[in-house]
């Protein structure tokens, strides 16, 4: 089951907004999604209670620091909204369960410094270091009138972590969440500009959310029956073992009985060539 975790130590970075949108996107791909709210504020769970039952369903899953609840039956994908200040053993335990981590980062220097410290700790964990848990960042509340997006892209390059998208600052996100919605629930004509900003995030997530099916095991190559028969007929007994899938035979086909079987007591008679055989004279026996 693919698990996507939204992680940032700093509060107010947009973790719940990002997690809710990721859960709805997965649900609209036909997956059965659970939105796990690991944050004590339970922001994602509160948003789920506002969600209309006619919209693509998302299962809730509330956890706290003492009780870890099991994933509901039938769930195929999980998105985890994590608390601020996540570090140490709690961060390592989360990484063990996650297949991908998306880190929302705002433009301020305080947000960037906090995120850099979290990335540094994540890189010390084996599952992130060797690429089994994918890590990327997302710029949040980016003002398109400024160079905030360029600053965040440059910062991500310094951290050697991809920034797969930058989402603009707009009241559209706020109004949607208040109604239990996301931008993915609105008509495409209303959110065309914002969906363009989500393209990089979705392209990065797609192979993780929908992993490619393993290639079927290849069967060992065998000769077709007609080809095998033709090859067997044209080779001598000692060559028989060189044909794939055939066994070594020490008896020539000419010495087999009419029913295709050779008695165990049958004498071994060396094959003879007909008198008119077109064999070069120097190869014939005297």
């Amino acid at each position: 089951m693919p698990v996507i975790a939204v992680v940032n130590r700093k509060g107010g970075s947009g973790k719940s907004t990002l997690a809710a949108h990721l859960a709805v996107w997965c649900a609209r791909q036909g997956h059965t999604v659970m939105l796990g709210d690991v944050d004590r504020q339970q922001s994602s769970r509160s948003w789920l209670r506002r969600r209309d039952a006619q919209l693509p369903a998302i299962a809730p899953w509330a956890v706290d620091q003492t009780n870890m609840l099991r994933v509901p039956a039938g769930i195929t994908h999980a998105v985890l909204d994590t608390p601020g200040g996540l570090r140490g053993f709690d961060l390592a335990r989360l990484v063990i369960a996650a297949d991908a981590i998306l880190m929302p980062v705002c433009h301020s220097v305080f947000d960037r410094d906090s995120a850099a410290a979290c990335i540094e700790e994540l890189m010390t964990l084996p599952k992130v270091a060797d690429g089994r848990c994918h890590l990327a960042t997302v710029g949040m509340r980016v003002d398109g009138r400024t160079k905030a997006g360029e600053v965040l892209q440059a910062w991500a390059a310094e951290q050697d972590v991809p920034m797969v998208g930058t989402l603009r600052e707009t009241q559209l996100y706020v109004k949607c969440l208040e109604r239990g919605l996301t931008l993915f629930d609105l008509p495409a004509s209303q959110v065309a500009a914002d969906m363009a900003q989500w393209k990089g995030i979705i392209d990065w997530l797609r192979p993780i959310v929908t992993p490619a099916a393993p290639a079927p095991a290849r069967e060992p190559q065998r000769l077709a029956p007609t080809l095998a028969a033709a090859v067997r007929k044209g080779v001598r007994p000692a060559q028989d073992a060189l044909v794939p899938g055939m066994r070594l035979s020490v008896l020539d086909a000419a010495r087999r009985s009419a029913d295709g079987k050779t008695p165990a007591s049958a004498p071994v008679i060396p094959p003879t060539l007909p008198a008119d055989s077109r064999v070069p004279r120097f190869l014939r026996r005297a």
Side-chain angles (χ1 to χ4, degrees):
M1 179 182 70
V3 177
I4 305 168
V6 181
V7 177
N8 191 319
R9 287 178 180 167
K10 194 172 185 303
S13 59
K15 293 188 295 292
S16 296
T17 298
L18 184 58
H21 279 74
L22 293 175
V24 172
W25 175 74
C26 287
R28 289 193 172 273
Q29 305 308 302
H31 305 303
T32 307
V33 187
M34 178 202 72
L35 179 57
D37 198 341
V38 191
D39 193 347
R40 292 180 180 178
Q41 295 180 358
Q42 298 288 285
S43 301
S44 295
R45 191 173 179 84
S46 175
W47 169 77
L48 279 175
R49 284 195 287 266
R50 296 186 176 93
R51 190 163 177 78
D52 194 310
Q54 302 300 319
L55 296 170
I58 298 173
W61 183 46
V63 296
D64 56 30
Q65 301 299 326
T66 58
N67 297 316
M68 185 67 70
L69 303 182
R70 293 184 178 181
V71 177
I75 295 298
T76 62
H77 292 67
V79 178
L80 302 181
D81 182 11
T82 65
L86 199 63
R87 66 183 71 240
F89 176 75
D90 291 332
L91 182 61
R93 183 174 61 177
L94 175 73
V95 169
I96 291 174
D99 297 290
I101 292 176
L102 274 174
M103 183 176 295
V105 184
C106 293
H107 170 245
S108 77
V109 64
F110 304 110
D111 287 86
R112 298 198 305 271
D113 288 348
S114 176
C118 187
I119 290 173
E120 184 178 0
E121 182 175 354
L122 284 169
M123 288 300 187
T124 65
L125 302 176
K127 194 174 178 181
V128 176
D130 62 18
R132 287 176 294 143
C133 179
H134 306 274
L135 174 63
T137 58
V138 177
M140 302 293 289
R141 305 191 188 100
V142 176
D143 190 342
R145 298 167 298 179
T146 68
K147 294 184 177 180
E150 297 176 10
V151 172
L152 285 172
Q153 290 285 357
W155 169 85
E158 292 176 0
Q159 310 306 315
D160 197 21
V161 174
M163 177 157 284
V164 293
T166 54
L167 305 181
R168 68 183 182 124
E169 184 176 15
T170 172
Q171 285 296 304
L172 196 56
Y173 285 100
V174 177
K175 293 178 180 179
C176 281
L177 294 172
E178 287 179 350
R179 299 161 52 197
L181 301 172
T182 67
L183 269 61
F184 292 103
D185 296 310
L186 299 181
S189 59
Q190 297 183 17
V191 293
D194 293 288
M195 287 298 100
Q197 296 180 337
W198 275 90
K199 185 179 183 303
I201 303 172
I202 291 172
D203 290 345
W204 184 81
L205 278 175
R206 198 180 299 278
I208 301 170
V209 171
T210 311
R218 297 181 61 184
E219 295 185 359
Q221 295 183 353
R222 295 183 179 179
L223 294 175
T226 55
L227 178 59
V231 172
R232 182 186 290 276
K233 187 176 180 180
V235 298
R236 303 302 299 163
Q239 297 170 315
D240 201 16
L242 302 179
V243 180
M246 298 182 179
R247 61 184 180 82
L248 177 64
S249 173
V250 296
L251 298 176
D252 187 75
R255 294 184 283 105
R256 299 182 184 275
S257 59
D259 61 356
K261 299 180 180 179
T262 302
S265 59
V268 177
I269 304 173
T272 58
L273 293 172
D276 61 345
S277 177
R278 297 182 181 180
V279 177
R281 182 179 300 276
F282 69 90
L283 290 179
R284 297 181 184 178
R285 292 185 179 181

